[in-house]
Amino acid sequence: MNKKKKNVKELTEEFTEDEKKGFYKAIYSRRDVRSHFTSKTIKDDILSRILNAAHHAPSVGFSQPWNFILIKDINTKIKVKKSFEEEKIHSSELVEEPKRSKYLSFKLEGILESPINLCVTYDPSRFGPFVIGRSSIPEAGLYSVCCAIQNLWLAARTEGIGVGWVSILSNDKLKNILELPDHVIPIAYLCLGYVDEFALKPDLEIAGWLSRLDLKDVIFFEKWNIKESVDWSKIQDLIKTDFDTLK
Amino acid sequence: MNKKKKNVKELTEEFTEDEKKGFYKAIYSRRDVRSHFTSKTIKDDILSRILNAAHHAPSVGFSQPWNFILIKDINTKIKVKKSFEEEKIHSSELVEEPKRSKYLSFKLEGILESPINLCVTYDPSRFGPFVIGRSSIPEAGLYSVCCAIQNLWLAARTEGIGVGWVSILSNDKLKNILELPDHVIPIAYLCLGYVDEFALKPDLEIAGWLSRLDLKDVIFFEKWNIKESVDWSKIQDLIKTDFDTLK
């Protein structure tokens, strides 16, 4: 069998139990990583694989409106870190004690420690102005970029690479630092690197800041806020069971 | 070994080659599905598994701002389909012939044919008003919901279930139909069902509407639009090779 035929066969066949297991392992062990970065270099073939996974996300009207700016220049990282520090102080003024001190004590980024920083951007002009599926809901272009980010995040996890998303930043400063054109929007600033540990739960859950909601609390039936429905009785019972894989 | 210890061990160990293969198969074989739905019922345990994968997406400040409204009421589907038809005609007026006729000929949704419709919503008030990481970039809450949608989409694919995202809709009408509160934003309206085929490439690529960009065209080094950099020479060469798994 030639390579293409083999690839087609593999991609179209049903997932085996082992393949599913691999997939769900990525979903449940992915973390937002802010520490534990090691000095191990990310090889270029692995980085390419992660970026290619991102590039194969769905996009509205197949517009592929994303760009990935790879960063290792320490001068850029220092400028971004400065913006983080400013925004962190600024945002802490919005929260009262004792939560404020707790918030300020959290480690919320690994900009300097991670070997690679990556800015993912949205270019609304890509293949435009008419993009199928973007006329009624213009934000759909943004949503595509987020799907690409999630692909990238999960792919990195399977490779043993941690990703941290820094959203405590000034987008105006970021645009300036990375010389983005006016019409391009930075969506995510990510820190990538091997880590010596993926925590079993999100940092903010471990720290007692917030708890994970029960699955049953985020699912409604037919309309907003309907939690009981005779037409959905079986799944209603199922989602009441504990879905936490670590209990 | 008890169940928790076994789960911890599995989640923290490096991914095997087979586990990685399972993960990347989901990435590369996932499609936006608008046809080929079969009448096979989605079992409740499988649907719960998909929803739980979505619920384990990253979220800014661990705010988990998503809800999932499961829909099978035909009256709701008919109302949503009507909004789709109106918006499709409306948006077709934005594009000139001969593209207009081509656009109008595309099958762009499976609202009535798919057994389950699912609206994913964003609630900015969840755990608010102060959410860690959302003060500087308020859109970060939206982005979390999109990450959940991508988890759901990939999980569905591993289960053999197709997902189609309908973005040719009036959000105002959708809010009205599903009785969403004013502050809640519908992010995605999805059609879910088993399909008898996952196409090898996106429909719009097959139809010749747009081509997939080369990976090298979406990657920049250090700043916007920098495609050549001595510090990144190896990956520059690597991403010039053809990453299309089907060639």
Side-chain angles (χ1 to χ4, degrees), chain A residues 7 70 87 133 150 167 222 245, chain B residues 7 70 133 136 151 167 222 245:
Chain A
N7 285 338
L70 291 163
E87 293 297 318
Q150 184 62 1
S167 63
E222 304 295 344
T245 47
Chain B
N7 286 338
L70 291 164
S136 305
N151 269 15
S167 63
E222 303 294 347
T245 47

Side-chain angles (χ1 to χ4, degrees), chain A residues 16-199:
Chain A
T16 63
E17 283 308 309
D18 278 349
E19 286 173 336
K20 281 189 204 174
K21 221 183 106 201
F23 168 75
Y24 282 110
K25 180 170 167 177
I27 294 284
Y28 291 116
S29 67
R30 183 209 49 76
R31 288 287 160 265
D32 195 331
V33 172
R34 294 91 181 253
S35 45
H36 299 286
F37 289 107
T38 72
S39 57
K40 186 177 168 187
T41 306
I42 302 176
K43 285 193 184 148
D44 293 300
D45 57 335
I46 292 174
L47 186 55
S48 306
R49 205 146 68 206
I50 294 170
L51 292 165
N52 200 45
H55 185 44
H56 279 72
S59 62
V60 62
F62 202 43
S63 56
Q64 308 158 71
W66 40 66
N67 285 92
F68 305 93
I69 308 178
L70 291 163
I71 297 152
K72 56 185 175 189
D73 183 341
I74 186 69
N75 296 310
T76 302
K77 287 181 177 179
I78 288 170
K79 284 179 200 160
V80 175
K81 171 92 179 206
K82 188 165 170 275
S83 174
F84 165 80
E85 298 288 5
E86 287 163 1
E87 293 297 318
K88 190 177 179 189
I89 295 293
H90 188 67
S91 57
S92 76
E93 288 156 14
L94 302 169
V95 59
E96 302 288 322
E97 290 292 0
K99 281 208 136 187
R100 185 180 182 186
S101 296
K102 196 166 185 181
Y103 166 59
L104 285 168
S105 76
F106 290 148
K107 173 95 169 85
L108 295 173
E109 52 69 49
I111 297 167
L112 300 180
E113 305 95 296
S114 60
I116 294 178
N117 289 188
L118 173 58
C119 184
V120 188
T121 59
Y122 168 49
D123 181 353
S125 72
R126 181 83 39 88
F127 293 126
F130 180 73
V131 169
I132 290 183
R134 209 184 60 183
S135 313
S136 307
I137 303 173
E139 300 84 359
L142 285 172
Y143 303 165
S144 304
V145 178
C146 298
C147 289
I149 293 162
Q150 184 62 1
N151 269 15
L152 185 149
W153 207 333
L154 292 166
R157 177 62 191 92
T158 70
E159 306 287 353
I161 292 166
V163 172
W165 182 328
V166 188
S167 63
I168 303 174
L169 283 180
S170 152
N171 266 350
D172 285 343
K173 288 194 178 150
L174 198 56
K175 285 182 78 155
N176 195 264
I177 295 168
L178 300 177
E179 299 175 8
L180 303 189
D182 278 349
H183 73 283
V184 171
I185 302 164
I187 304 297
Y189 193 85
L190 307 173
C191 303
L192 273 75
Y194 285 98
V195 285
D196 54 23
E197 177 189 310
F198 286 95

